[in-house]
């Protein structure tokens, strides 16, 4: 089982060396928590079985602050974010690599907790963490802990799942509510003058995507997780890349009551807020019902909805139809009003 | 061709968002420099052709300070370090992922220079950078720039290349001089009171390893790059993992005159210093000459030497035979006297 840190033990610069202290850290923390035969070999490169199909590769640096928030922490985020990026390529996760940059003086007990969270999320996503690296920088040269996770996956479909495959008439589904992650992180920072009952949606979504692919087959043509920049960015990019328009139905967008009222109070747009456990799925016309049913059959897709469709009208633009029958154009946010949410 | 930054342009927090500024940064810097068809798709995960064989996965966070030193920079290091870790698994590099953590205010022109260096090193190593990620953190929350590079490779041999394969009698080769990288970085910090004529050896070594494998075939049984912790750590680990002893011939160790005299002056041991362009190769008895010839046939292996052998005597220990006929035991360094050299 995973070892525990003595009270008050902290990371030293020497833990980042290639020598004895480094090896102790790797064995007592990373190998202890992420236990699997490939990692335990401690080779500089991990060997994985030959995938029969095309492989997907994705990487994400995680710098979220604070490190722990309602519904998750940087460890859970680091695994889920990478698994979800693989899922957007219809790729089953095969192995993860984790690189840590740690500030000198970081508490060893916290590192254990965050690695335990990574390990639990990796088990949930059924993917081993097979290799890693650790660097320690002097006090003040980093903000506690950064984790970069890279994933290799095996692409399980032969058809093209990307913006290139999207055509006018395709229907757009969203697997659940918007904005939970961004607001949970802001709440954990204590940025609000009120208590916010929101939990991050941070979760690995390969199981959900696998269910959608099983139900929709070749008619699932596009998958994208609306993280930084939110749904607005995903759809603006889709419109730009396809040269088609997007019609979005405001009433159909799933948003929790807590997020809705916080957004009204603070002037945020749920469409621009980051999510870490949601997937946008485009399907061929007439296939929405079957795929929606598959999404809703899983806990992380319980609030899945059909949110709109791709159209040959207003090319390159995302139009939001309001309950009052008016339409407004949704633009990609220029910058980020909320830095370091992932 | 790669775009250039306007004078004085700096990284803003908004460059780390998922929105318009982020996309501009990705296109104008990363895609411009690393240009290749897979990256240009800008998918969240890059799709690579199905490798016919087992794959290798490795990751390294790079936090070197200063970012530029004689013989290299963090960009060259980030590519070479990952290619070399793949090479230790006898894996031809197939694709790299690069994740950047950038401090707000970092000069855009410097980012261009470092990405140009990464791109040139990737061309030299014949591997595309196929996916990436960027996070921007507030001023003071990171030390300029950290780059985490992850590599996927295709393992080109069927036999086991690892400590497990090593037996008593195997001969040990080293591809060139020791200590150049560590001393070049220290010199660039201005830590010395004198001028040091040393250049980092930082270089991608897949070509060198491929040549060794071509010459030695199944008789090449172990490959390891002596980075952090130096040759001392590689050999101490090898002795520990195999339960065998290592005999090392001090006179045979290649060390440049400049490194040797700097080490004498400063009290450093070249065996404990980091290298970023060297490979330790273990071969079956009698095969050293053929593999040495192959190593020396390449510029990065010009000073390759047979440095010792594996022995059933003194199990678990690395013994250095001095020119005076005495022997001393080489221990793994405990911590790192030189932080942030890679």
């Amino acid at each position: 089982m995973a070892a525990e840190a003595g009270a008050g033990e902290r990371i030293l610069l020497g833990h980042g060396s290639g020598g004895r202290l480094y090896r102790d850290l790797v064995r007592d923390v990373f190998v202890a928590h992420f236990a699997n035969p490939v990692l335990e070999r401690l080779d500089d490169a991990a060997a994985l079985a030959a995938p029969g199909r095309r492989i997907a590769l994705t990487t994400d640096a995680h710098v979220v602050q604070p490190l722990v928030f309602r519904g998750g922490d940087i460890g859970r985020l680091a695994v889920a974010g990478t698994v979800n990026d693989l899922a957007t390529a219809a790729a089953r996760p095969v192995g993860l690599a984790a690189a840590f940059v740690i500030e000198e003086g970081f508490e060893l007990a916290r590192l254990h907790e965050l690695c335990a969270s990574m390990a639990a999320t990796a088990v949930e996503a059924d993917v081993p963490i097979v290799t890693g690296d650790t660097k320690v920088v002097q006090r003040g040269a980093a903000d506690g802990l950064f984790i970069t996770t890279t994933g290799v996956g095996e692409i399980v479909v032969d058809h093209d799942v990307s913006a290139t495959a999207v055509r006018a008439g395709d229907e757009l589904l969203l697997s659940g509510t918007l904005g939970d992650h961004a607001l949970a992180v802001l709440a954990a920072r204590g940025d609000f003058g009120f208590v916010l009952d929101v939990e991050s949606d941070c979760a690995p979504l390969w199981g959900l995507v696998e269910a959608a692919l099983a139900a929709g087959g070749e008619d699932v043509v596009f998958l994208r997780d609306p993280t930084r920049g939110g749904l607005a960015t995903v759809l603006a990019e889709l419109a730009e890349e396809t040269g088609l328009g997007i019609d979005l139905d405001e009433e159909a967008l799933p948003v929790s009551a807590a997020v809705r009222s916080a957004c009204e109070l603070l002037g945020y747009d749920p469409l621009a807020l980051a999510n870490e456990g949601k997937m946008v799925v485009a399907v061929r016309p007439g296939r929405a019902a079957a795929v929606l049913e598959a999404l809703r059959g899983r806990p992380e897709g319980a609030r899945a909805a059909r949110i709109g469709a791709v159209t040959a009208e207003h090319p390159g633009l995302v139009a939001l139809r309001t309950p009052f029958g008016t339409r407004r154009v949704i633009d990609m946010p220029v910058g980020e009003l909320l830095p370091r949410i992932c």
Side-chain angles (χ1 to χ4, degrees), chain A residues 131-204:
Chain A
T131 190
D133 183 46
T134 304
K135 295 285 154 56
V136 179
V137 298
Q138 300 95 311
R139 239 173 249 272
D143 195 1
L145 176 68
F146 302 145
I147 306 177
T148 298
T149 339
T150 307
V152 172
E154 184 178 23
I155 299 174
V156 304
V157 300
D158 292 316
H159 71 283
D160 183 23
V161 179
S162 79
T164 317
V166 171
R167 300 197 295 244
D170 289 347
E171 303 189 65
L172 294 169
L173 315 178
L174 175 65
S175 66
T177 56
L178 291 172
D180 305 88
H181 176 71
L183 291 192
V185 172
L186 281 180
R189 277 191 208 156
D191 281 8
F192 302 141
F194 53 92
V195 175
L196 185 64
D197 188 26
V198 173
E199 195 166 289
S200 167
D201 57 349
C202 179

Side-chain angles (χ1 to χ4, degrees), chain A residues 283-307:
Chain A
V283 298
R284 292 286 181 238
R287 298 290 278 150
V291 176
L292 258 186
E293 196 189 331
L295 294 174
R296 288 180 180 154
R298 301 206 31 122
E300 66 273 37
R303 292 200 57 187
R306 181 191 177 286
I307 58 168

Side-chain angles (χ1 to χ4, degrees), chain A residues 89-146:
Chain A
R92 178 181 64 80
V94 167
L96 300 184
F100 298 80
V101 174
I102 314 178
E103 186 184 8
E104 179 191 10
F106 194 82
E107 271 185 69
L108 207 55
R110 291 187 79 193
L111 188 62
H112 270 286
E113 282 165 24
L114 296 169
C115 286
S117 173
M118 285 186 82
T121 313
V123 166
E124 191 180 330
D126 195 20
V127 59
I129 299 171
V130 293
T131 190
D133 183 46
T134 304
K135 295 285 154 56
V136 179
V137 298
Q138 300 95 311
R139 239 173 249 272
D143 195 1
L145 176 68
F146 302 145

Side-chain angles (χ1 to χ4, degrees), chain A residues 252-287:
Chain A
L253 292 173
V255 181
S256 77
V259 168
R260 191 177 300 279
S261 57
C263 281
E264 277 165 14
L265 209 59
L266 300 162
Y268 291 150
D269 181 355
L271 282 167
L273 294 178
N275 314 277
E276 290 290 344
K278 296 293 149 38
M279 193 63 69
V280 176
V281 186
V283 298
R284 292 286 181 238
R287 298 290 278 150

Side-chain angles (χ1 to χ4, degrees), chain A residues 84-91 157 161-163 166 206 208-210 212-213 220-225 234 279-282 291 295:
Chain A
N84 296 350
D85 278 345
L86 289 177
T88 66
V157 300
V161 179
S162 79
V166 171
W206 170 242
L208 185 80
V209 166
E210 203 175 22
L213 290 169
V220 173
V221 293
F222 174 81
L223 296 158
R224 192 67 59 92
D225 54 336
V234 166
M279 193 63 69
V280 176
V281 186
V291 176
L295 294 174

